[in-house]
Amino acid sequence: MSPQAVAVRAGLQRARIELRQSLGNGQELWSVTFFPVISLTVMFLLRHSTVPGTDFSLGAHSVPGILGMTVAFNGMMALALSLTMDREDGTLLRAKATPNGMVGYLTGKVLCRGGTAVAGLLIALVPAVFLFEGLELGGVSSWLTLAWVVTLGLLALLPLGAIVGSLFTSAQGVGFVTLPMMALMGVSGVFYPISALPEWLQWVAQLFPLYWLGLGLRSAMLPQTMAAAEVGESWRHLETIGVLGLWAVAGLALAPFVLRRMARRESGSAVAARRQQAMQRMA
C-alpha cells in the first residue's frame, strides 16, 4: 500500500472517531442544531403567511433554504473554524511534521465536517416534516434529488471552508466571515423568494453556491407548482449542477495551493506566538 493510501486510510479512521465524538457531545450537538432550531421556530410562527402570488405557506417554503444554511454553517464554516483552532494549538504543525500527515489530517477533517453537515440536515429535517404542511418527500425522486444536491453542495462549500480557514490565523478572524454570510443568507432565498427582490440583488445571489443549494433543496422538497415562485419559473437543475460544479472545481483547484502555502508557514515559533496572543486575550 502506498504512503498516500495509508494516509487516506488514517484520515478515514480519524473522520470516524471525530464524527462519533462530535455527535456524542451535547455541546457540539447543540452547536450543530442551534441555527436550524431557531430558524425553524421563527418560520413556524410565520407558517400562516404565504408566498406572494400563492396560497403556499412561507414557513414551509423557507425550510429547504434553512437546511441549506445548516449545511453551509456545519460544513464550510465549521471546517474553517477547525483549521484555525488546530493551527492555534499546534495540531496542524504535528500533522505537517508527520510523513503524509497533511493528507490524512485533511481527509479526516473534510469527511468529519461533511458528515456533521449531513447529520445536522437530517436532525432538522425530521421535525420540519411534521411541523410544516406541504413538504413532499414521499417519492424516491425527491430523496435522489436531495442526495445529489447535498453532495454537490458539499463539494462546492467544503473547499471554500478550507480556503477561509487557511487565510485566518485565529478563530476570531473566521468569526468576521459570519457577517457577510448572514448578509448573503438574506438575499439567497433562505427566508423569502429572491424573485421578489430587486433584479440586481437576484444576480448577486445567483453568483454564489448558497442560492443554488437552496434552490436544489426546494426542488426536492416542494411541490412542482412552487417552481413558479422561482427565477425563471423553473427549478433549473442543469444550472444548479453547472454553478455548483464550477464552484466545486474552482475550490478543489485552489484549496490545495492555499493549504500548502499555509502549511509551509507553520512553525513552532508561530504556534507559540499565537498561544501567547490567545493568553493575552483571555487575561
Side-chain angles (χ1 to χ4, degrees), residues 36-66:
V37 166
I38 298 300
S39 300
L40 290 175
T41 300
V42 172
M43 298 317 298
F44 181 74
L45 297 176
L46 298 175
R47 65 190 183 281
H48 297 303
S49 301
T50 59
V51 176
T54 74
D55 58 357
F56 194 80
S57 168
L58 180 62
H61 184 272
S62 300
V63 169
I66 293 171

PDB file of all heavy atoms in Angstrom, residues 36-66:
ATOM      1  N   PRO A  36     -30.633  25.810  12.907  1.00  0.00           N
ATOM      2  CA  PRO A  36     -31.915  25.322  12.370  1.00  0.00           C
ATOM      3  C   PRO A  36     -33.049  25.364  13.378  1.00  0.00           C
ATOM      4  O   PRO A  36     -34.194  25.630  13.012  1.00  0.00           O
ATOM      5  CB  PRO A  36     -31.607  23.884  11.938  1.00  0.00           C
ATOM      6  CG  PRO A  36     -30.369  23.508  12.653  1.00  0.00           C
ATOM      7  CD  PRO A  36     -29.588  24.776  12.816  1.00  0.00           C
ATOM      8  N   VAL A  37     -32.762  25.138  14.669  1.00  0.00           N
ATOM      9  CA  VAL A  37     -33.820  25.188  15.680  1.00  0.00           C
ATOM     10  C   VAL A  37     -34.410  26.592  15.769  1.00  0.00           C
ATOM     11  O   VAL A  37     -35.642  26.777  15.752  1.00  0.00           O
ATOM     12  CB  VAL A  37     -33.271  24.735  17.054  1.00  0.00           C
ATOM     13  CG1 VAL A  37     -34.257  25.102  18.170  1.00  0.00           C
ATOM     14  CG2 VAL A  37     -33.024  23.236  17.065  1.00  0.00           C
ATOM     15  N   ILE A  38     -33.550  27.597  15.852  1.00  0.00           N
ATOM     16  CA  ILE A  38     -34.025  28.975  15.946  1.00  0.00           C
ATOM     17  C   ILE A  38     -34.765  29.381  14.675  1.00  0.00           C
ATOM     18  O   ILE A  38     -35.863  29.964  14.728  1.00  0.00           O
ATOM     19  CB  ILE A  38     -32.847  29.936  16.201  1.00  0.00           C
ATOM     20  CG1 ILE A  38     -32.170  29.612  17.536  1.00  0.00           C
ATOM     21  CG2 ILE A  38     -33.330  31.385  16.188  1.00  0.00           C
ATOM     22  CD1 ILE A  38     -33.072  29.723  18.743  1.00  0.00           C
ATOM     23  N   SER A  39     -34.183  29.069  13.513  1.00  0.00           N
ATOM     24  CA  SER A  39     -34.791  29.468  12.240  1.00  0.00           C
ATOM     25  C   SER A  39     -36.127  28.772  12.010  1.00  0.00           C
ATOM     26  O   SER A  39     -37.107  29.402  11.578  1.00  0.00           O
ATOM     27  CB  SER A  39     -33.828  29.158  11.088  1.00  0.00           C
ATOM     28  OG  SER A  39     -32.619  29.850  11.247  1.00  0.00           O
ATOM     29  N   LEU A  40     -36.188  27.468  12.288  1.00  0.00           N
ATOM     30  CA  LEU A  40     -37.442  26.746  12.096  1.00  0.00           C
ATOM     31  C   LEU A  40     -38.517  27.239  13.052  1.00  0.00           C
ATOM     32  O   LEU A  40     -39.708  27.289  12.694  1.00  0.00           O
ATOM     33  CB  LEU A  40     -37.218  25.240  12.281  1.00  0.00           C
ATOM     34  CG  LEU A  40     -36.399  24.540  11.186  1.00  0.00           C
ATOM     35  CD1 LEU A  40     -36.142  23.087  11.559  1.00  0.00           C
ATOM     36  CD2 LEU A  40     -37.109  24.624   9.839  1.00  0.00           C
ATOM     37  N   THR A  41     -38.115  27.625  14.257  1.00  0.00           N
ATOM     38  CA  THR A  41     -39.084  28.164  15.210  1.00  0.00           C
ATOM     39  C   THR A  41     -39.681  29.464  14.693  1.00  0.00           C
ATOM     40  O   THR A  41     -40.905  29.668  14.740  1.00  0.00           O
ATOM     41  CB  THR A  41     -38.410  28.405  16.578  1.00  0.00           C
ATOM     42  OG1 THR A  41     -37.907  27.164  17.086  1.00  0.00           O
ATOM     43  CG2 THR A  41     -39.409  28.992  17.568  1.00  0.00           C
ATOM     44  N   VAL A  42     -38.816  30.351  14.175  1.00  0.00           N
ATOM     45  CA  VAL A  42     -39.299  31.627  13.634  1.00  0.00           C
ATOM     46  C   VAL A  42     -40.238  31.394  12.469  1.00  0.00           C
ATOM     47  O   VAL A  42     -41.321  31.998  12.385  1.00  0.00           O
ATOM     48  CB  VAL A  42     -38.103  32.504  13.210  1.00  0.00           C
ATOM     49  CG1 VAL A  42     -38.596  33.744  12.460  1.00  0.00           C
ATOM     50  CG2 VAL A  42     -37.289  32.922  14.428  1.00  0.00           C
ATOM     51  N   MET A  43     -39.854  30.504  11.555  1.00  0.00           N
ATOM     52  CA  MET A  43     -40.688  30.276  10.376  1.00  0.00           C
ATOM     53  C   MET A  43     -41.966  29.526  10.727  1.00  0.00           C
ATOM     54  O   MET A  43     -42.986  29.692  10.056  1.00  0.00           O
ATOM     55  CB  MET A  43     -39.899  29.512   9.319  1.00  0.00           C
ATOM     56  CG  MET A  43     -38.665  30.256   8.806  1.00  0.00           C
ATOM     57  SD  MET A  43     -38.917  32.023   8.491  1.00  0.00           S
ATOM     58  CE  MET A  43     -40.159  31.990   7.207  1.00  0.00           C
ATOM     59  N   PHE A  44     -41.944  28.742  11.806  1.00  0.00           N
ATOM     60  CA  PHE A  44     -43.181  28.088  12.240  1.00  0.00           C
ATOM     61  C   PHE A  44     -44.180  29.126  12.723  1.00  0.00           C
ATOM     62  O   PHE A  44     -45.392  28.996  12.489  1.00  0.00           O
ATOM     63  CB  PHE A  44     -42.872  27.085  13.362  1.00  0.00           C
ATOM     64  CG  PHE A  44     -44.087  26.347  13.867  1.00  0.00           C
ATOM     65  CD1 PHE A  44     -44.678  25.349  13.108  1.00  0.00           C
ATOM     66  CD2 PHE A  44     -44.647  26.665  15.099  1.00  0.00           C
ATOM     67  CE1 PHE A  44     -45.801  24.678  13.560  1.00  0.00           C
ATOM     68  CE2 PHE A  44     -45.764  25.994  15.557  1.00  0.00           C
ATOM     69  CZ  PHE A  44     -46.341  24.994  14.798  1.00  0.00           C
ATOM     70  N   LEU A  45     -43.696  30.172  13.372  1.00  0.00           N
ATOM     71  CA  LEU A  45     -44.579  31.252  13.818  1.00  0.00           C
ATOM     72  C   LEU A  45     -45.160  32.020  12.634  1.00  0.00           C
ATOM     73  O   LEU A  45     -46.212  32.646  12.759  1.00  0.00           O
ATOM     74  CB  LEU A  45     -43.818  32.201  14.749  1.00  0.00           C
ATOM     75  CG  LEU A  45     -43.311  31.585  16.065  1.00  0.00           C
ATOM     76  CD1 LEU A  45     -42.491  32.604  16.845  1.00  0.00           C
ATOM     77  CD2 LEU A  45     -44.480  31.089  16.916  1.00  0.00           C
ATOM     78  N   LEU A  46     -44.451  31.963  11.486  1.00  0.00           N
ATOM     79  CA  LEU A  46     -44.915  32.655  10.284  1.00  0.00           C
ATOM     80  C   LEU A  46     -45.568  31.706   9.285  1.00  0.00           C
ATOM     81  O   LEU A  46     -45.735  32.054   8.119  1.00  0.00           O
ATOM     82  CB  LEU A  46     -43.735  33.361   9.609  1.00  0.00           C
ATOM     83  CG  LEU A  46     -43.037  34.453  10.412  1.00  0.00           C
ATOM     84  CD1 LEU A  46     -41.818  34.968   9.651  1.00  0.00           C
ATOM     85  CD2 LEU A  46     -43.988  35.591  10.742  1.00  0.00           C
ATOM     86  N   ARG A  47     -45.952  30.517   9.761  1.00  0.00           N
ATOM     87  CA  ARG A  47     -46.457  29.500   8.842  1.00  0.00           C
ATOM     88  C   ARG A  47     -47.764  29.898   8.162  1.00  0.00           C
ATOM     89  O   ARG A  47     -48.108  29.357   7.113  1.00  0.00           O
ATOM     90  CB  ARG A  47     -46.649  28.172   9.583  1.00  0.00           C
ATOM     91  CG  ARG A  47     -47.716  28.204  10.665  1.00  0.00           C
ATOM     92  CD  ARG A  47     -47.663  26.931  11.513  1.00  0.00           C
ATOM     93  NE  ARG A  47     -48.718  26.883  12.530  1.00  0.00           N
ATOM     94  CZ  ARG A  47     -48.683  27.525  13.676  1.00  0.00           C
ATOM     95  NH1 ARG A  47     -47.638  28.285  13.955  1.00  0.00           N
ATOM     96  NH2 ARG A  47     -49.679  27.418  14.550  1.00  0.00           N
ATOM     97  N   HIS A  48     -48.505  30.842   8.760  1.00  0.00           N
ATOM     98  CA  HIS A  48     -49.776  31.249   8.164  1.00  0.00           C
ATOM     99  C   HIS A  48     -49.584  32.330   7.096  1.00  0.00           C
ATOM    100  O   HIS A  48     -50.539  32.641   6.377  1.00  0.00           O
ATOM    101  CB  HIS A  48     -50.733  31.743   9.243  1.00  0.00           C
ATOM    102  CG  HIS A  48     -51.099  30.683  10.251  1.00  0.00           C
ATOM    103  ND1 HIS A  48     -51.670  29.478   9.897  1.00  0.00           N
ATOM    104  CD2 HIS A  48     -50.955  30.646  11.602  1.00  0.00           C
ATOM    105  CE1 HIS A  48     -51.870  28.740  10.984  1.00  0.00           C
ATOM    106  NE2 HIS A  48     -51.436  29.423  12.028  1.00  0.00           N
ATOM    107  N   SER A  49     -48.369  32.901   7.014  1.00  0.00           N
ATOM    108  CA  SER A  49     -48.067  33.808   5.912  1.00  0.00           C
ATOM    109  C   SER A  49     -47.852  32.983   4.651  1.00  0.00           C
ATOM    110  O   SER A  49     -47.491  31.802   4.714  1.00  0.00           O
ATOM    111  CB  SER A  49     -46.815  34.628   6.227  1.00  0.00           C
ATOM    112  OG  SER A  49     -46.987  35.387   7.417  1.00  0.00           O
ATOM    113  N   THR A  50     -48.071  33.576   3.510  1.00  0.00           N
ATOM    114  CA  THR A  50     -47.978  32.829   2.256  1.00  0.00           C
ATOM    115  C   THR A  50     -46.962  33.465   1.316  1.00  0.00           C
ATOM    116  O   THR A  50     -46.646  34.655   1.406  1.00  0.00           O
ATOM    117  CB  THR A  50     -49.342  32.762   1.537  1.00  0.00           C
ATOM    118  OG1 THR A  50     -49.803  34.102   1.276  1.00  0.00           O
ATOM    119  CG2 THR A  50     -50.364  32.034   2.397  1.00  0.00           C
ATOM    120  N   VAL A  51     -46.439  32.634   0.417  1.00  0.00           N
ATOM    121  CA  VAL A  51     -45.545  33.118  -0.631  1.00  0.00           C
ATOM    122  C   VAL A  51     -46.348  34.021  -1.561  1.00  0.00           C
ATOM    123  O   VAL A  51     -47.474  33.674  -1.946  1.00  0.00           O
ATOM    124  CB  VAL A  51     -44.962  31.933  -1.427  1.00  0.00           C
ATOM    125  CG1 VAL A  51     -44.095  32.431  -2.581  1.00  0.00           C
ATOM    126  CG2 VAL A  51     -44.164  31.032  -0.502  1.00  0.00           C
ATOM    127  N   PRO A  52     -45.823  35.210  -1.911  1.00  0.00           N
ATOM    128  CA  PRO A  52     -46.585  36.141  -2.764  1.00  0.00           C
ATOM    129  C   PRO A  52     -47.090  35.477  -4.039  1.00  0.00           C
ATOM    130  O   PRO A  52     -46.357  34.787  -4.737  1.00  0.00           O
ATOM    131  CB  PRO A  52     -45.548  37.232  -3.078  1.00  0.00           C
ATOM    132  CG  PRO A  52     -44.606  37.208  -1.926  1.00  0.00           C
ATOM    133  CD  PRO A  52     -44.523  35.772  -1.511  1.00  0.00           C
ATOM    134  N   GLY A  53     -48.384  35.666  -4.303  1.00  0.00           N
ATOM    135  CA  GLY A  53     -48.997  35.115  -5.502  1.00  0.00           C
ATOM    136  C   GLY A  53     -49.465  33.687  -5.378  1.00  0.00           C
ATOM    137  O   GLY A  53     -49.962  33.119  -6.353  1.00  0.00           O
ATOM    138  N   THR A  54     -49.301  33.083  -4.184  1.00  0.00           N
ATOM    139  CA  THR A  54     -49.710  31.698  -3.974  1.00  0.00           C
ATOM    140  C   THR A  54     -50.409  31.589  -2.625  1.00  0.00           C
ATOM    141  O   THR A  54     -50.447  32.536  -1.845  1.00  0.00           O
ATOM    142  CB  THR A  54     -48.505  30.732  -3.990  1.00  0.00           C
ATOM    143  OG1 THR A  54     -47.768  30.885  -2.769  1.00  0.00           O
ATOM    144  CG2 THR A  54     -47.591  31.011  -5.169  1.00  0.00           C
ATOM    145  N   ASP A  55     -50.959  30.410  -2.359  1.00  0.00           N
ATOM    146  CA  ASP A  55     -51.525  30.139  -1.038  1.00  0.00           C
ATOM    147  C   ASP A  55     -50.637  29.175  -0.255  1.00  0.00           C
ATOM    148  O   ASP A  55     -51.072  28.567   0.718  1.00  0.00           O
ATOM    149  CB  ASP A  55     -52.945  29.568  -1.164  1.00  0.00           C
ATOM    150  CG  ASP A  55     -52.988  28.282  -1.991  1.00  0.00           C
ATOM    151  OD1 ASP A  55     -51.917  27.868  -2.519  1.00  0.00           O
ATOM    152  OD2 ASP A  55     -54.083  27.704  -2.127  1.00  0.00           O
ATOM    153  N   PHE A  56     -49.368  29.057  -0.675  1.00  0.00           N
ATOM    154  CA  PHE A  56     -48.428  28.139  -0.034  1.00  0.00           C
ATOM    155  C   PHE A  56     -47.755  28.830   1.144  1.00  0.00           C
ATOM    156  O   PHE A  56     -47.374  29.997   1.070  1.00  0.00           O
ATOM    157  CB  PHE A  56     -47.372  27.672  -1.035  1.00  0.00           C
ATOM    158  CG  PHE A  56     -46.572  26.481  -0.571  1.00  0.00           C
ATOM    159  CD1 PHE A  56     -47.097  25.204  -0.668  1.00  0.00           C
ATOM    160  CD2 PHE A  56     -45.310  26.647  -0.037  1.00  0.00           C
ATOM    161  CE1 PHE A  56     -46.360  24.104  -0.256  1.00  0.00           C
ATOM    162  CE2 PHE A  56     -44.565  25.560   0.388  1.00  0.00           C
ATOM    163  CZ  PHE A  56     -45.099  24.277   0.280  1.00  0.00           C
ATOM    164  N   SER A  57     -47.576  28.086   2.230  1.00  0.00           N
ATOM    165  CA  SER A  57     -47.004  28.636   3.455  1.00  0.00           C
ATOM    166  C   SER A  57     -45.578  29.140   3.240  1.00  0.00           C
ATOM    167  O   SER A  57     -44.722  28.423   2.707  1.00  0.00           O
ATOM    168  CB  SER A  57     -47.007  27.567   4.558  1.00  0.00           C
ATOM    169  OG  SER A  57     -46.214  27.976   5.663  1.00  0.00           O
ATOM    170  N   LEU A  58     -45.328  30.376   3.662  1.00  0.00           N
ATOM    171  CA  LEU A  58     -43.981  30.933   3.581  1.00  0.00           C
ATOM    172  C   LEU A  58     -43.026  30.167   4.488  1.00  0.00           C
ATOM    173  O   LEU A  58     -41.855  29.993   4.154  1.00  0.00           O
ATOM    174  CB  LEU A  58     -44.003  32.416   3.985  1.00  0.00           C
ATOM    175  CG  LEU A  58     -42.669  33.158   3.952  1.00  0.00           C
ATOM    176  CD1 LEU A  58     -42.096  33.192   2.536  1.00  0.00           C
ATOM    177  CD2 LEU A  58     -42.829  34.590   4.483  1.00  0.00           C
ATOM    178  N   GLY A  59     -43.530  29.691   5.621  1.00  0.00           N
ATOM    179  CA  GLY A  59     -42.698  28.908   6.530  1.00  0.00           C
ATOM    180  C   GLY A  59     -42.216  27.635   5.878  1.00  0.00           C
ATOM    181  O   GLY A  59     -41.025  27.291   5.945  1.00  0.00           O
ATOM    182  N   ALA A  60     -43.124  26.881   5.241  1.00  0.00           N
ATOM    183  CA  ALA A  60     -42.740  25.642   4.571  1.00  0.00           C
ATOM    184  C   ALA A  60     -41.787  25.916   3.409  1.00  0.00           C
ATOM    185  O   ALA A  60     -40.849  25.154   3.166  1.00  0.00           O
ATOM    186  CB  ALA A  60     -43.980  24.908   4.072  1.00  0.00           C
ATOM    187  N   HIS A  61     -42.014  27.015   2.692  1.00  0.00           N
ATOM    188  CA  HIS A  61     -41.147  27.374   1.573  1.00  0.00           C
ATOM    189  C   HIS A  61     -39.720  27.667   2.037  1.00  0.00           C
ATOM    190  O   HIS A  61     -38.758  27.461   1.287  1.00  0.00           O
ATOM    191  CB  HIS A  61     -41.726  28.591   0.850  1.00  0.00           C
ATOM    192  CG  HIS A  61     -40.970  29.003  -0.376  1.00  0.00           C
ATOM    193  ND1 HIS A  61     -39.896  29.872  -0.329  1.00  0.00           N
ATOM    194  CD2 HIS A  61     -41.112  28.645  -1.682  1.00  0.00           C
ATOM    195  CE1 HIS A  61     -39.429  30.041  -1.548  1.00  0.00           C
ATOM    196  NE2 HIS A  61     -40.139  29.310  -2.383  1.00  0.00           N
ATOM    197  N   SER A  62     -39.569  28.145   3.274  1.00  0.00           N
ATOM    198  CA  SER A  62     -38.253  28.519   3.788  1.00  0.00           C
ATOM    199  C   SER A  62     -37.458  27.338   4.332  1.00  0.00           C
ATOM    200  O   SER A  62     -36.240  27.453   4.527  1.00  0.00           O
ATOM    201  CB  SER A  62     -38.407  29.573   4.896  1.00  0.00           C
ATOM    202  OG  SER A  62     -39.052  30.731   4.413  1.00  0.00           O
ATOM    203  N   VAL A  63     -38.124  26.211   4.590  1.00  0.00           N
ATOM    204  CA  VAL A  63     -37.440  25.057   5.200  1.00  0.00           C
ATOM    205  C   VAL A  63     -36.236  24.595   4.374  1.00  0.00           C
ATOM    206  O   VAL A  63     -35.140  24.402   4.932  1.00  0.00           O
ATOM    207  CB  VAL A  63     -38.432  23.899   5.435  1.00  0.00           C
ATOM    208  CG1 VAL A  63     -37.684  22.616   5.815  1.00  0.00           C
ATOM    209  CG2 VAL A  63     -39.419  24.270   6.533  1.00  0.00           C
ATOM    210  N   PRO A  64     -36.346  24.409   3.053  1.00  0.00           N
ATOM    211  CA  PRO A  64     -35.160  23.960   2.300  1.00  0.00           C
ATOM    212  C   PRO A  64     -33.991  24.935   2.394  1.00  0.00           C
ATOM    213  O   PRO A  64     -32.837  24.513   2.492  1.00  0.00           O
ATOM    214  CB  PRO A  64     -35.689  23.853   0.860  1.00  0.00           C
ATOM    215  CG  PRO A  64     -37.158  23.632   1.009  1.00  0.00           C
ATOM    216  CD  PRO A  64     -37.547  24.456   2.192  1.00  0.00           C
ATOM    217  N   GLY A  65     -34.284  26.245   2.361  1.00  0.00           N
ATOM    218  CA  GLY A  65     -33.216  27.217   2.485  1.00  0.00           C
ATOM    219  C   GLY A  65     -32.542  27.152   3.838  1.00  0.00           C
ATOM    220  O   GLY A  65     -31.307  27.299   3.945  1.00  0.00           O
ATOM    221  N   ILE A  66     -33.318  26.950   4.885  1.00  0.00           N
ATOM    222  CA  ILE A  66     -32.752  26.808   6.229  1.00  0.00           C
ATOM    223  C   ILE A  66     -31.857  25.577   6.301  1.00  0.00           C
ATOM    224  O   ILE A  66     -30.773  25.610   6.900  1.00  0.00           O
ATOM    225  CB  ILE A  66     -33.884  26.723   7.274  1.00  0.00           C
ATOM    226  CG1 ILE A  66     -34.617  28.068   7.349  1.00  0.00           C
ATOM    227  CG2 ILE A  66     -33.346  26.331   8.648  1.00  0.00           C
ATOM    228  CD1 ILE A  66     -35.882  28.037   8.192  1.00  0.00           C
TER     229      ILE A  66
END
